[in-house]
Amino acid sequence: MSKTNESLMQRRVAAVPRGVGQIHPIFAESAKNATVTDVEGREFIDFAGGIAVLNTGHLHPKIIAAVEAQLKKLTHTCFQVLAYEPYVELCEKINARVPGDFAKKTLLVTTGSEAVENAVKIARAATGRAGVIAFTGAYHGRTMMTLGLTGKVVPYSAGMGLMPGGIFRALYPCELHGVSIDDSIASIERIFKNDAEPKDIAAIIIEPVQGEGGFYVAPKEFMVRLRALCDKHGILLIADEVQTGAGRTGTFFAMEQMGVAPDLTTFAKSIAGGFPVAGVCGKAEYMDAIAPGGLGGTYAGSPIACAAALAVMEVFEEENLLDRSKAVGERLVTGLKNIQKKYPVIGEVRALGSMIAVELFDDGDAHKPNAAAVAQVVAKARDKGLILLSCGTYGNVLRVLVPLTAPDEQLDKGLAIIEECFAELA
């Protein structure tokens, strides 16, 4: 019997816990660049990119060749037992890429959540403090500490009880929703007055562009003031670049556009073109605060993933993907703003590079998020052959994370499908 999406969904429901969500009832069979083919042979344009993992596209030939070559050498030793050069070389390249005019070191792990967990460990060891400040709308992962940092209860921590203590929530600046830079800084000062002294705070962690929170871009002025506040109180600034990194925002790391450098930077997702590697890069003195044995993991910095990540770095240089990221963003934003003019349900189109969001409201009122319309657009687009994602605290934001390598014709076709969907909603 031939496989169908429906038959595989039935097997999935029986075998996989319901807590593992699935946005689209589709099973992928194969993919190339920005096209995915399902088990029934239907092709889809991929505007999701595995949630920002595939900036270099599905199965980029250079990355696959690097992985195949590494497979013939070794697949695993555990770096803490027997080291291998790709790990060291990748750390060297990350050290050179991460913003900041100071000596850096890099730790490699496996997932974004693991990177954030280790960044907090490093900050605590380096400062001798325990508290952490995160922001409203933040997404930092699904492990216990990162769930505490994540600013969205449903669905991530619902029913699990209280998350770890010592975490405090500040307001993320967002002009659209009435949170000014002054409001955000004042919310941190309120934490210092009401909840914890600055000397008890090890780190402030922030996404330069919020991911799950809705693709809101932190103003440069805010980052400058946040950096000054951290310096004043001896607090480490952690930039979570898991989703913004690897060229998504038009620079390799988004913090390159923010006027200041963080003390620690987390990265993952597109850094290895679909293979699992993540890490923390930061000031050498802070990265060395933990004694041997306190950092690492069995699969951390897998030689396969390191080979893939090194190839990703080469692809960015050879194909000028940072310039391409800006061009993709400009093309899509122009198209989406043209659609916005026709359909008042679209309240805002925003982007940094090719990290693009479309926020929907009832009657153009920013106080009335329209999640139902977003869900309809996502479903209609899928039926027309386009894979989209939603996000936002209220689920009313469409997000676009198309591979930077997607050809213009596919970008335009995706825009045409999106316009068709809004026409059907009207």
Side-chain angles (χ1 to χ4, degrees):
M1 187 178 79
S2 62
K3 295 175 185 175
T4 64
N5 288 309
E6 184 179 359
S7 66
L8 287 169
M9 281 298 293
Q10 290 173 354
R11 288 170 57 188
R12 180 200 195 285
V13 168
V16 180
R18 69 191 185 101
V20 181
Q22 187 172 337
I23 298 164
H24 299 285
I26 291 170
F27 280 75
E29 179 71 15
S30 61
K32 185 174 182 180
N33 200 6
T35 302
V36 177
T37 305
D38 74 3
V39 291
E40 297 174 13
R42 187 175 180 198
E43 290 188 348
F44 297 86
I45 300 170
D46 186 2
F47 268 30
I51 314 185
V53 169
L54 296 161
N55 290 355
T56 49
H58 293 270
L59 299 182
H60 191 288
K62 188 176 187 77
I63 298 169
I64 297 307
V67 167
E68 287 175 341
Q70 183 60 46
L71 279 169
K72 296 171 183 174
K73 296 177 181 177
L74 59 89
T75 61
H76 179 75
T77 62
C78 184
F79 188 77
Q80 294 92 358
V81 179
L82 295 171
Y84 35 87
E85 186 180 3
Y87 185 116
V88 177
E89 185 180 355
L90 179 56
C91 291
E92 290 169 340
K93 290 188 180 297
I94 294 291
N95 292 339
R97 284 276 196 178
V98 167
D101 186 19
F102 43 78
K104 304 183 195 80
K105 290 189 176 183
T106 292
L107 159 73
L108 298 182
V109 287
T110 310
T111 69
S113 293
E114 198 181 355
V116 173
E117 291 270 356
N118 278 280
V120 172
K121 284 165 51 179
I122 291 163
R124 289 177 65 158
T127 63
R129 306 170 179 182
V132 182
I133 295 174
F135 288 86
T136 50
Y139 181 84
H140 296 294
R142 288 187 177 92
T143 53
M144 290 299 283
M145 183 68 189
T146 60
L147 272 179
L149 298 170
T150 291
K152 189 175 182 179
V153 172
V154 179
Y156 300 119
S157 59
M160 301 172 200
L162 297 177
M163 292 297 111
I167 296 170
F168 307 94
R169 188 83 53 203
L171 297 174
Y172 193 93
C174 179
E175 184 179 353
L176 178 66
H177 293 293
V179 182
S180 69
I181 293 170
D182 285 344
D183 292 335
S184 186
I185 294 294
S187 73
I188 299 172
E189 296 290 356
R190 277 198 297 275
I191 290 170
F192 294 157
K193 292 290 185 186
N194 299 333
D195 301 302
E197 292 183 273
K199 67 180 183 181
D200 292 320
I201 301 298
I204 297 178
I205 184 168
I206 187 168
E207 300 159 278
V209 184
Q210 290 200 315
E212 172 62 25
F215 283 28
Y216 301 112
V217 182
K220 183 176 178 180
E221 179 193 341
F222 172 72
M223 279 294 191
V224 171
R225 290 176 64 179
L226 187 61
R227 174 74 272 176
L229 184 146
C230 287
D231 291 341
K232 176 182 176 181
H233 295 296
I235 296 168
L236 301 198
L237 179 59
I238 302 173
D240 184 344
E241 295 244 27
V242 167
Q243 191 159 158
T244 53
R248 176 51 57 180
T249 65
T251 48
F252 202 83
F253 289 103
M255 287 300 292
E256 295 173 54
Q257 302 176 56
M258 297 295 168
V260 294
D263 299 297
L264 302 174
T265 297
T266 63
F267 58 89
K269 288 193 180 284
S270 274
I271 205 77
F275 292 85
V277 75
V280 185
C281 176
K283 284 186 178 179
E285 63 194 273
Y286 300 147
M287 296 297 294
D288 279 339
I290 294 178
L295 298 173
T298 303
Y299 293 104
S302 151
I304 302 297
C306 287
L310 290 168
V312 165
M313 298 283 202
E314 291 181 16
V315 169
F316 263 87
E317 294 295 332
E318 292 170 4
E319 300 185 15
N320 298 312
L321 288 190
L322 294 180
D323 288 340
R324 178 61 182 163
S325 179
K326 295 169 190 168
V328 167
E330 288 168 6
R331 192 179 193 95
L332 290 176
V333 166
T334 298
L336 290 166
K337 286 189 173 179
N338 286 334
I339 297 170
Q340 180 185 15
K341 292 173 186 174
K342 303 176 187 177
Y343 304 102
V345 69
I346 300 176
E348 184 173 73
V349 176
R350 57 181 172 269
L352 190 64
S354 56
M355 192 167 178
I356 303 163
V358 181
E359 187 158 0
L360 306 190
F361 304 120
D362 284 333
D363 307 318
D365 186 342
H367 299 294
K368 296 179 181 178
N370 193 334
V374 166
Q376 286 180 277
V377 170
V378 169
K380 287 176 180 291
R382 176 179 66 239
D383 292 342
K384 298 174 188 297
L386 175 68
I387 300 300
L388 286 170
L389 297 173
S390 62
C391 66
T393 302
Y394 300 98
N396 67 313
V397 181
L398 291 167
R399 55 176 160 172
V400 176
L401 292 162
V402 65
L404 309 179
T405 49
D408 286 346
E409 310 87 78
Q410 249 183 337
L411 300 180
D412 293 342
K413 188 174 180 183
L415 282 170
I417 291 172
I418 291 171
E419 183 160 10
E420 286 176 27
C421 294
F422 278 102
E424 292 176 12
L425 278 185

